[in-house]
Amino acid sequence: MVSLKDVAQRAGVSIKTVSNVVNGYQHVTPAMRERVQRAIDELGYRPNLTARHLRKGRTGIIALAVPELGNPYFAELAGAVIDAAARHDYTVLLDHTGGRRDQELLVCQGFRAHVMDGLILSPIELESEDLLARTDTSPLVLLGEREYDAPYDHIAIDNVAAARLAVRHLVDTGRRRIAFLGAREESARRPAHLRLRGWREELDAAGLPAGDDLVVATEAYGREDGARAMAALLDRGPRPDAVFAYNDTMAVGALRTLADRGLRVPEDVAVVGFDDIDESRFAHTPLTTIAPDKEAIARLAVDCLVDRLAGTAATEPRRARPGHRLVVRDSTVGRR
Amino acid sequence: MVSLKDVAQRAGVSIKTVSNVVNGYQHVTPAMRERVQRAIDELGYRPNLTARHLRKGRTGIIALAVPELGNPYFAELAGAVIDAAARHDYTVLLDHTGGRRDQELLVCQGFRAHVMDGLILSPIELESEDLLARTDTSPLVLLGEREYDAPYDHIAIDNVAAARLAVRHLVDTGRRRIAFLGAREESARRPAHLRLRGWREELDAAGLPAGDDLVVATEAYGREDGARAMAALLDRGPRPDAVFAYNDTMAVGALRTLADRGLRVPEDVAVVGFDDIDESRFAHTPLTTIAPDKEAIARLAVDCLVDRLAGTAATEPRRARPGHRLVVRDSTVGRR
DNA sequence: CTGAAAGCGCTTACAG
DNA sequence: CTGAAAGCGCTTACAG
């Protein structure tokens, strides 16, 4: 490996001068700059970033941990984070947790990837107590609809409002029996999903039923889970005339089951998803869905982290709410 | 930050001893180990990986660069690479190139992410000359169907054979006018797609037409591109009774267009994709497709890289061929 | 089985 | 505008 020292020797100058040239400092005579540059080119010198990082105390790497890259929402989000980070000269180390608490803990304790300046984490199972017990001191920004009593920046759209918007659309288009697909089992410690809460609030406001018989719990949030949840719902009792799925992949699974059962969408059952992944636009029955502003989410998360890293952020945790909108497609209003 | 020195001071031993404990070396008396461990716990010491990396000359990070995380195939593959890397205690830095040559060059020159021991790259536009001009000396493993005259490990399924398998299936099920969606514009320097070659070979073998009127070139390989390509094909002339798409996302786009035109799949037009992404299984008309062994691809790529890094690999470039199989679904044979 | 020293390649004060 | 020295936190020979 070619080091600064080699270049300095070749150019007949001190290491510092080479460093100045490499880092583009002012106050280097053009002649000197050129001489050093020639030595650099001849030797094919490339700075050793590890050494620079050790010296500067930062690595230029931020980590992003999402539950599952197989879920297009997170894949698309990861792409946006990579782009946002690049604009700040940061590179992104990617990890996935499978939405398992132990993995989330590991990641947030920095065990898997301690070579990072900060972390953006989209947790599923993690608890507030886990966050409070965190010993790693690098900045952490949380993503998503879980709410925590812990002093960390948190970026999430208004999930309750978004869910209400989706349900209102179903109510407005004449649906009266609206189910929810994808609630996790509730417990005292783990607050119910905000999306589930929004579903319930809007139905209550409309005076429509919002009982447990209209809610299907699932283990995960993939297409298969959506398909099974839809089947369970249909087997369970009186058919709903609409379903609001936790996310688009589940909604796609629900469409699959409805097709298998010979039910028409939206005539028999309307379907609304959440995430607006590209796939939803191209589904056989294009999916009505909530579109979170993914670019804004990624940008805000990276900005927050960069502010923390620069020490320019306020002390108290930041709470940012990127926008969202309802995208109406055939799965609720038929061919227009 | 707590350093080895602090721990040594606290425990009243030398730095070396602490290092021995941290690294789990033998030949440390249990009493000593415990004393040091207590100091570590009390101070909350965490090793500085950057320093370790500088000293050892490696970072424990490998980079993976794919064209587009929005394509589920690459997202799913990235997940598999992360898992495979974790088994070797490597962390994955993720980058996407947009399939643009300049970005691919940048990545393969190590400019974006020089903090890595090696790189796995799935190129689209990169040329052999770019690879030959590469100055970065870190190991590089190539992925995918492009073929290069450059001394690098290359992991790819047998794309020609896989394409022939897909086309044979169409021929065997009675199709006679089989189109290809997603050929890039050809040039002298840029060899035609292997999948296109397989399509042509199999049609030739079957004595069926394989003219340019059955090939639609596209700019990219997303759902939208597939939809447009299918529309162009239908507008162009006599309707084909089958299409073989470059990948599943394009096939999904083709399904969209066929539905919009009121054509039935597979009765009017059969569709075969390539990649076997989860989405394909759940499409309204589940998609027949080629399933590359993604786990094997990821594992082989990481193994290759790890071998290079360990210096245990042979000098000549390795060429690995993970398996693939045809998955038959409704888009070619209807409901079974 | 443990200690003292050197050095990975860089940047940061400090001189001049 | 340029140079010589110190040090980021670790591991690796080398002694003892």
Side-chain angles (χ1 to χ4, degrees), chain A residues 14 16-17 27-29 32 55:
Chain A
S14 85
K16 175 68 195 325
T17 305
H27 312 305
V28 181
T29 52
M32 178 62 83
R55 188 55 238 247

PDB file of all heavy atoms in Angstrom, chain A residues 14 16-17 27-29 32 55, chain D residues 1-4 6-9:
ATOM      1  N   SER A  14       7.431  17.269   2.832  1.00  0.00           N
ATOM      2  CA  SER A  14       7.020  16.623   4.080  1.00  0.00           C
ATOM      3  C   SER A  14       5.630  15.996   3.919  1.00  0.00           C
ATOM      4  O   SER A  14       4.879  16.343   3.009  1.00  0.00           O
ATOM      5  CB  SER A  14       6.982  17.632   5.212  1.00  0.00           C
ATOM      6  OG  SER A  14       5.737  18.295   5.195  1.00  0.00           O
ATOM      7  N   LYS A  16       3.113  16.456   5.692  1.00  0.00           N
ATOM      8  CA  LYS A  16       2.073  17.466   5.882  1.00  0.00           C
ATOM      9  C   LYS A  16       1.680  18.124   4.568  1.00  0.00           C
ATOM     10  O   LYS A  16       0.500  18.349   4.284  1.00  0.00           O
ATOM     11  CB  LYS A  16       2.575  18.537   6.861  1.00  0.00           C
ATOM     12  CG  LYS A  16       1.640  19.706   7.051  1.00  0.00           C
ATOM     13  CD  LYS A  16       0.390  19.250   7.761  1.00  0.00           C
ATOM     14  CE  LYS A  16      -0.766  20.227   7.702  1.00  0.00           C
ATOM     15  NZ  LYS A  16      -0.475  21.607   7.724  1.00  0.00           N
ATOM     16  N   THR A  17       2.678  18.432   3.779  1.00  0.00           N
ATOM     17  CA  THR A  17       2.406  19.083   2.504  1.00  0.00           C
ATOM     18  C   THR A  17       1.555  18.191   1.608  1.00  0.00           C
ATOM     19  O   THR A  17       0.607  18.651   0.976  1.00  0.00           O
ATOM     20  CB  THR A  17       3.738  19.411   1.800  1.00  0.00           C
ATOM     21  OG1 THR A  17       4.530  20.182   2.690  1.00  0.00           O
ATOM     22  CG2 THR A  17       3.489  20.183   0.537  1.00  0.00           C
ATOM     23  N   HIS A  27      -3.500  27.851   0.302  1.00  0.00           N
ATOM     24  CA  HIS A  27      -2.143  28.211   0.720  1.00  0.00           C
ATOM     25  C   HIS A  27      -1.112  27.139   0.387  1.00  0.00           C
ATOM     26  O   HIS A  27      -0.246  26.832   1.192  1.00  0.00           O
ATOM     27  CB  HIS A  27      -2.094  28.511   2.222  1.00  0.00           C
ATOM     28  CG  HIS A  27      -3.170  29.442   2.658  1.00  0.00           C
ATOM     29  ND1 HIS A  27      -3.361  30.684   2.091  1.00  0.00           N
ATOM     30  CD2 HIS A  27      -4.130  29.323   3.608  1.00  0.00           C
ATOM     31  CE1 HIS A  27      -4.386  31.284   2.668  1.00  0.00           C
ATOM     32  NE2 HIS A  27      -4.875  30.493   3.593  1.00  0.00           N
ATOM     33  N   VAL A  28      -1.250  26.546  -0.762  1.00  0.00           N
ATOM     34  CA  VAL A  28      -0.182  25.685  -1.260  1.00  0.00           C
ATOM     35  C   VAL A  28       0.162  26.258  -2.631  1.00  0.00           C
ATOM     36  O   VAL A  28      -0.730  26.442  -3.459  1.00  0.00           O
ATOM     37  CB  VAL A  28      -0.650  24.216  -1.414  1.00  0.00           C
ATOM     38  CG1 VAL A  28       0.493  23.361  -1.904  1.00  0.00           C
ATOM     39  CG2 VAL A  28      -1.224  23.684  -0.118  1.00  0.00           C
ATOM     40  N   THR A  29       1.411  26.555  -2.847  1.00  0.00           N
ATOM     41  CA  THR A  29       1.778  27.150  -4.135  1.00  0.00           C
ATOM     42  C   THR A  29       1.451  26.182  -5.258  1.00  0.00           C
ATOM     43  O   THR A  29       1.648  24.975  -5.116  1.00  0.00           O
ATOM     44  CB  THR A  29       3.290  27.471  -4.194  1.00  0.00           C
ATOM     45  OG1 THR A  29       3.999  26.297  -3.843  1.00  0.00           O
ATOM     46  CG2 THR A  29       3.649  28.600  -3.264  1.00  0.00           C
ATOM     47  N   MET A  32       4.057  23.670  -6.092  1.00  0.00           N
ATOM     48  CA  MET A  32       4.150  22.607  -5.086  1.00  0.00           C
ATOM     49  C   MET A  32       3.007  21.608  -5.261  1.00  0.00           C
ATOM     50  O   MET A  32       3.209  20.401  -5.248  1.00  0.00           O
ATOM     51  CB  MET A  32       4.091  23.255  -3.689  1.00  0.00           C
ATOM     52  CG  MET A  32       4.138  22.258  -2.558  1.00  0.00           C
ATOM     53  SD  MET A  32       5.665  21.307  -2.538  1.00  0.00           S
ATOM     54  CE  MET A  32       6.738  22.445  -1.679  1.00  0.00           C
ATOM     55  N   ARG A  55      -8.086   8.823  13.170  1.00  0.00           N
ATOM     56  CA  ARG A  55      -7.609  10.131  13.579  1.00  0.00           C
ATOM     57  C   ARG A  55      -8.768  11.098  13.840  1.00  0.00           C
ATOM     58  O   ARG A  55      -8.791  11.813  14.840  1.00  0.00           O
ATOM     59  CB  ARG A  55      -6.693  10.676  12.473  1.00  0.00           C
ATOM     60  CG  ARG A  55      -5.955  11.944  12.788  1.00  0.00           C
ATOM     61  CD  ARG A  55      -5.157  11.781  14.052  1.00  0.00           C
ATOM     62  NE  ARG A  55      -5.572  12.775  15.012  1.00  0.00           N
ATOM     63  CZ  ARG A  55      -4.823  13.767  15.442  1.00  0.00           C
ATOM     64  NH1 ARG A  55      -3.572  13.843  15.070  1.00  0.00           N
ATOM     65  NH2 ARG A  55      -5.304  14.654  16.265  1.00  0.00           N
TER      66      ARG A  55
ATOM     67  P    DC D   1       0.239  31.626   0.370  1.00  0.00           P
ATOM     68  OP1  DC D   1       0.184  31.648  -1.071  1.00  0.00           O
ATOM     69  OP2  DC D   1      -0.983  31.560   1.162  1.00  0.00           O
ATOM     70  O5'  DC D   1       1.147  30.412   0.842  1.00  0.00           O
ATOM     71  C5'  DC D   1       2.067  29.843  -0.049  1.00  0.00           C
ATOM     72  C4'  DC D   1       3.123  29.203   0.780  1.00  0.00           C
ATOM     73  O4'  DC D   1       3.012  29.732   2.101  1.00  0.00           O
ATOM     74  C3'  DC D   1       2.958  27.686   0.931  1.00  0.00           C
ATOM     75  O3'  DC D   1       4.095  27.053   0.368  1.00  0.00           O
ATOM     76  C2'  DC D   1       2.890  27.445   2.433  1.00  0.00           C
ATOM     77  C1'  DC D   1       3.449  28.736   3.006  1.00  0.00           C
ATOM     78  N1   DC D   1       2.898  29.072   4.352  1.00  0.00           N
ATOM     79  C2   DC D   1       3.689  28.822   5.463  1.00  0.00           C
ATOM     80  O2   DC D   1       4.825  28.332   5.305  1.00  0.00           O
ATOM     81  N3   DC D   1       3.211  29.122   6.707  1.00  0.00           N
ATOM     82  C4   DC D   1       2.001  29.648   6.839  1.00  0.00           C
ATOM     83  N4   DC D   1       1.572  29.931   8.057  1.00  0.00           N
ATOM     84  C5   DC D   1       1.171  29.922   5.704  1.00  0.00           C
ATOM     85  C6   DC D   1       1.654  29.612   4.487  1.00  0.00           C
ATOM     86  P    DT D   2       4.095  25.517   0.068  1.00  0.00           P
ATOM     87  OP1  DT D   2       4.932  25.280  -1.120  1.00  0.00           O
ATOM     88  OP2  DT D   2       2.709  25.056   0.106  1.00  0.00           O
ATOM     89  O5'  DT D   2       4.867  24.937   1.322  1.00  0.00           O
ATOM     90  C5'  DT D   2       6.290  24.952   1.316  1.00  0.00           C
ATOM     91  C4'  DT D   2       6.790  24.473   2.655  1.00  0.00           C
ATOM     92  O4'  DT D   2       6.045  25.124   3.705  1.00  0.00           O
ATOM     93  C3'  DT D   2       6.632  22.962   2.908  1.00  0.00           C
ATOM     94  O3'  DT D   2       7.932  22.432   3.103  1.00  0.00           O
ATOM     95  C2'  DT D   2       5.777  22.866   4.157  1.00  0.00           C
ATOM     96  C1'  DT D   2       5.958  24.239   4.791  1.00  0.00           C
ATOM     97  N1   DT D   2       4.849  24.714   5.658  1.00  0.00           N
ATOM     98  C2   DT D   2       5.087  24.875   6.988  1.00  0.00           C
ATOM     99  O2   DT D   2       6.160  24.630   7.510  1.00  0.00           O
ATOM    100  N3   DT D   2       4.015  25.331   7.715  1.00  0.00           N
ATOM    101  C4   DT D   2       2.755  25.653   7.227  1.00  0.00           C
ATOM    102  O4   DT D   2       1.880  26.062   7.969  1.00  0.00           O
ATOM    103  C5   DT D   2       2.570  25.464   5.816  1.00  0.00           C
ATOM    104  C7   DT D   2       1.256  25.774   5.181  1.00  0.00           C
ATOM    105  C6   DT D   2       3.616  25.007   5.091  1.00  0.00           C
ATOM    106  P    DG D   3       8.136  20.860   3.243  1.00  0.00           P
ATOM    107  OP1  DG D   3       9.310  20.502   2.431  1.00  0.00           O
ATOM    108  OP2  DG D   3       6.847  20.187   3.037  1.00  0.00           O
ATOM    109  O5'  DG D   3       8.547  20.749   4.775  1.00  0.00           O
ATOM    110  C5'  DG D   3       9.526  21.642   5.285  1.00  0.00           C
ATOM    111  C4'  DG D   3       9.789  21.349   6.742  1.00  0.00           C
ATOM    112  O4'  DG D   3       8.748  21.947   7.543  1.00  0.00           O
ATOM    113  C3'  DG D   3       9.808  19.862   7.102  1.00  0.00           C
ATOM    114  O3'  DG D   3      10.833  19.623   8.042  1.00  0.00           O
ATOM    115  C2'  DG D   3       8.427  19.630   7.711  1.00  0.00           C
ATOM    116  C1'  DG D   3       8.137  20.976   8.360  1.00  0.00           C
ATOM    117  N9   DG D   3       6.721  21.319   8.414  1.00  0.00           N
ATOM    118  C8   DG D   3       5.841  21.348   7.369  1.00  0.00           C
ATOM    119  N7   DG D   3       4.637  21.713   7.712  1.00  0.00           N
ATOM    120  C5   DG D   3       4.729  21.944   9.077  1.00  0.00           C
ATOM    121  C6   DG D   3       3.737  22.352   9.999  1.00  0.00           C
ATOM    122  O6   DG D   3       2.570  22.622   9.787  1.00  0.00           O
ATOM    123  N1   DG D   3       4.241  22.458  11.289  1.00  0.00           N
ATOM    124  C2   DG D   3       5.555  22.192  11.641  1.00  0.00           C
ATOM    125  N2   DG D   3       5.850  22.342  12.927  1.00  0.00           N
ATOM    126  N3   DG D   3       6.492  21.799  10.786  1.00  0.00           N
ATOM    127  C4   DG D   3       6.001  21.699   9.533  1.00  0.00           C
ATOM    128  P    DA D   4      11.258  18.163   8.400  1.00  0.00           P
ATOM    129  OP1  DA D   4      12.718  18.089   8.217  1.00  0.00           O
ATOM    130  OP2  DA D   4      10.378  17.226   7.696  1.00  0.00           O
ATOM    131  O5'  DA D   4      10.916  18.106   9.947  1.00  0.00           O
ATOM    132  C5'  DA D   4      11.237  19.190  10.805  1.00  0.00           C
ATOM    133  C4'  DA D   4      10.889  18.824  12.236  1.00  0.00           C
ATOM    134  O4'  DA D   4       9.476  19.080  12.440  1.00  0.00           O
ATOM    135  C3'  DA D   4      11.083  17.354  12.592  1.00  0.00           C
ATOM    136  O3'  DA D   4      11.329  17.264  13.987  1.00  0.00           O
ATOM    137  C2'  DA D   4       9.749  16.734  12.217  1.00  0.00           C
ATOM    138  C1'  DA D   4       8.782  17.854  12.602  1.00  0.00           C
ATOM    139  N9   DA D   4       7.594  17.919  11.761  1.00  0.00           N
ATOM    140  C8   DA D   4       7.428  17.532  10.454  1.00  0.00           C
ATOM    141  N7   DA D   4       6.234  17.751   9.968  1.00  0.00           N
ATOM    142  C5   DA D   4       5.571  18.337  11.031  1.00  0.00           C
ATOM    143  C6   DA D   4       4.271  18.823  11.184  1.00  0.00           C
ATOM    144  N6   DA D   4       3.370  18.794  10.199  1.00  0.00           N
ATOM    145  N1   DA D   4       3.920  19.348  12.381  1.00  0.00           N
ATOM    146  C2   DA D   4       4.841  19.391  13.361  1.00  0.00           C
ATOM    147  N3   DA D   4       6.105  18.979  13.346  1.00  0.00           N
ATOM    148  C4   DA D   4       6.399  18.453  12.147  1.00  0.00           C
ATOM    149  P    DA D   6       7.556  14.254  19.932  1.00  0.00           P
ATOM    150  OP1  DA D   6       8.209  14.617  21.200  1.00  0.00           O
ATOM    151  OP2  DA D   6       7.971  13.046  19.190  1.00  0.00           O
ATOM    152  O5'  DA D   6       5.979  14.192  20.171  1.00  0.00           O
ATOM    153  C5'  DA D   6       5.243  15.410  20.274  1.00  0.00           C
ATOM    154  C4'  DA D   6       3.763  15.105  20.249  1.00  0.00           C
ATOM    155  O4'  DA D   6       3.331  14.974  18.879  1.00  0.00           O
ATOM    156  C3'  DA D   6       3.384  13.802  20.948  1.00  0.00           C
ATOM    157  O3'  DA D   6       2.190  14.012  21.669  1.00  0.00           O
ATOM    158  C2'  DA D   6       3.205  12.820  19.798  1.00  0.00           C
ATOM    159  C1'  DA D   6       2.643  13.736  18.721  1.00  0.00           C
ATOM    160  N9   DA D   6       2.828  13.302  17.338  1.00  0.00           N
ATOM    161  C8   DA D   6       3.900  12.640  16.798  1.00  0.00           C
ATOM    162  N7   DA D   6       3.776  12.405  15.509  1.00  0.00           N
ATOM    163  C5   DA D   6       2.545  12.956  15.196  1.00  0.00           C
ATOM    164  C6   DA D   6       1.831  13.038  13.984  1.00  0.00           C
ATOM    165  N6   DA D   6       2.281  12.552  12.827  1.00  0.00           N
ATOM    166  N1   DA D   6       0.628  13.654  14.010  1.00  0.00           N
ATOM    167  C2   DA D   6       0.174  14.140  15.171  1.00  0.00           C
ATOM    168  N3   DA D   6       0.755  14.124  16.366  1.00  0.00           N
ATOM    169  C4   DA D   6       1.946  13.509  16.304  1.00  0.00           C
ATOM    170  P    DG D   7       1.665  12.886  22.691  1.00  0.00           P
ATOM    171  OP1  DG D   7       1.113  13.570  23.872  1.00  0.00           O
ATOM    172  OP2  DG D   7       2.688  11.841  22.817  1.00  0.00           O
ATOM    173  O5'  DG D   7       0.453  12.285  21.853  1.00  0.00           O
ATOM    174  C5'  DG D   7      -0.555  13.167  21.351  1.00  0.00           C
ATOM    175  C4'  DG D   7      -1.521  12.343  20.544  1.00  0.00           C
ATOM    176  O4'  DG D   7      -0.935  12.091  19.246  1.00  0.00           O
ATOM    177  C3'  DG D   7      -1.816  10.974  21.159  1.00  0.00           C
ATOM    178  O3'  DG D   7      -3.189  10.700  21.016  1.00  0.00           O
ATOM    179  C2'  DG D   7      -0.983  10.017  20.306  1.00  0.00           C
ATOM    180  C1'  DG D   7      -1.078  10.718  18.961  1.00  0.00           C
ATOM    181  N9   DG D   7      -0.085  10.361  17.978  1.00  0.00           N
ATOM    182  C8   DG D   7       1.219   9.953  18.172  1.00  0.00           C
ATOM    183  N7   DG D   7       1.850   9.706  17.047  1.00  0.00           N
ATOM    184  C5   DG D   7       0.902   9.970  16.057  1.00  0.00           C
ATOM    185  C6   DG D   7       0.989   9.870  14.646  1.00  0.00           C
ATOM    186  O6   DG D   7       1.962   9.533  13.965  1.00  0.00           O
ATOM    187  N1   DG D   7      -0.208  10.231  14.029  1.00  0.00           N
ATOM    188  C2   DG D   7      -1.333  10.622  14.687  1.00  0.00           C
ATOM    189  N2   DG D   7      -2.401  10.929  13.934  1.00  0.00           N
ATOM    190  N3   DG D   7      -1.438  10.716  16.010  1.00  0.00           N
ATOM    191  C4   DG D   7      -0.288  10.376  16.617  1.00  0.00           C
ATOM    192  P    DC D   8      -3.963   9.754  22.033  1.00  0.00           P
ATOM    193  OP1  DC D   8      -4.364  10.561  23.206  1.00  0.00           O
ATOM    194  OP2  DC D   8      -3.151   8.540  22.221  1.00  0.00           O
ATOM    195  O5'  DC D   8      -5.264   9.344  21.221  1.00  0.00           O
ATOM    196  C5'  DC D   8      -6.011  10.297  20.481  1.00  0.00           C
ATOM    197  C4'  DC D   8      -6.670   9.588  19.317  1.00  0.00           C
ATOM    198  O4'  DC D   8      -5.775   9.629  18.189  1.00  0.00           O
ATOM    199  C3'  DC D   8      -6.934   8.118  19.580  1.00  0.00           C
ATOM    200  O3'  DC D   8      -8.264   7.967  20.071  1.00  0.00           O
ATOM    201  C2'  DC D   8      -6.781   7.464  18.208  1.00  0.00           C
ATOM    202  C1'  DC D   8      -5.914   8.452  17.414  1.00  0.00           C
ATOM    203  N1   DC D   8      -4.531   8.013  17.078  1.00  0.00           N
ATOM    204  C2   DC D   8      -4.105   7.997  15.751  1.00  0.00           C
ATOM    205  O2   DC D   8      -4.911   8.319  14.865  1.00  0.00           O
ATOM    206  N3   DC D   8      -2.836   7.621  15.464  1.00  0.00           N
ATOM    207  C4   DC D   8      -2.011   7.279  16.446  1.00  0.00           C
ATOM    208  N4   DC D   8      -0.775   6.929  16.115  1.00  0.00           N
ATOM    209  C5   DC D   8      -2.432   7.290  17.818  1.00  0.00           C
ATOM    210  C6   DC D   8      -3.686   7.657  18.082  1.00  0.00           C
ATOM    211  P    DG D   9      -8.508   7.353  21.542  1.00  0.00           P
ATOM    212  OP1  DG D   9      -9.908   7.627  21.876  1.00  0.00           O
ATOM    213  OP2  DG D   9      -7.436   7.761  22.456  1.00  0.00           O
ATOM    214  O5'  DG D   9      -8.357   5.803  21.287  1.00  0.00           O
ATOM    215  C5'  DG D   9      -9.245   5.159  20.380  1.00  0.00           C
ATOM    216  C4'  DG D   9      -8.674   3.813  20.016  1.00  0.00           C
ATOM    217  O4'  DG D   9      -7.402   4.003  19.368  1.00  0.00           O
ATOM    218  C3'  DG D   9      -8.403   2.890  21.199  1.00  0.00           C
ATOM    219  O3'  DG D   9      -9.102   1.680  20.971  1.00  0.00           O
ATOM    220  C2'  DG D   9      -6.905   2.691  21.209  1.00  0.00           C
ATOM    221  C1'  DG D   9      -6.553   2.956  19.753  1.00  0.00           C
ATOM    222  N9   DG D   9      -5.199   3.400  19.520  1.00  0.00           N
ATOM    223  C8   DG D   9      -4.457   4.244  20.318  1.00  0.00           C
ATOM    224  N7   DG D   9      -3.253   4.472  19.840  1.00  0.00           N
ATOM    225  C5   DG D   9      -3.198   3.745  18.662  1.00  0.00           C
ATOM    226  C6   DG D   9      -2.151   3.599  17.722  1.00  0.00           C
ATOM    227  O6   DG D   9      -1.025   4.122  17.740  1.00  0.00           O
ATOM    228  N1   DG D   9      -2.519   2.769  16.673  1.00  0.00           N
ATOM    229  C2   DG D   9      -3.733   2.152  16.541  1.00  0.00           C
ATOM    230  N2   DG D   9      -3.913   1.395  15.469  1.00  0.00           N
ATOM    231  N3   DG D   9      -4.728   2.270  17.420  1.00  0.00           N
ATOM    232  C4   DG D   9      -4.395   3.076  18.448  1.00  0.00           C
TER     233       DG D   9
END
